[in-house]
Amino acid sequence: MADVIAVRATITKIDAGIFCRDVIRERGRSRHFVGKTAVSLSQSEAVAESFAAQNQIPWQSVEVLYR
């Protein structure tokens, strides 16, 4: 993805499980890409990691926030 400045995965515990949201910030705009509810923390991290891999973004450059 050209001009990607930051990728953030926010993993939040909710009543229905764990929600993972991936956001890419590029050229001054934030774009929401993935929003999924998972049953475990490891599954939500796998969602974020898969998203990064599909977009050729190194996993180590993804900022992961836990709430």
Side-chain angles (χ1 to χ4, degrees):
M1 301 186 108
D3 299 324
V4 171
I5 297 169
V7 178
R8 177 178 294 149
T10 304
I11 297 173
T12 308
K13 188 173 182 179
I14 60 174
D15 289 338
I18 298 173
F19 185 74
C20 178
R21 179 178 67 187
D22 291 329
V23 174
I24 288 182
R25 182 163 178 78
E26 59 185 350
R27 291 185 236 132
R29 296 183 325 190
S30 292
R31 295 174 34 191
H32 175 259
F33 279 91
V34 175
K36 279 193 169 179
T37 301
V39 295
S40 68
L41 182 61
S42 61
Q43 186 183 38
S44 63
E45 289 172 341
V47 168
E49 190 170 357
S50 173
F51 169 78
Q54 289 171 5
N55 291 284
Q56 293 97 31
I57 299 166
W59 176 239
Q60 62 269 20
S61 70
V62 177
E63 178 184 10
V64 181
L65 302 174
Y66 297 92
R67 294 185 180 183

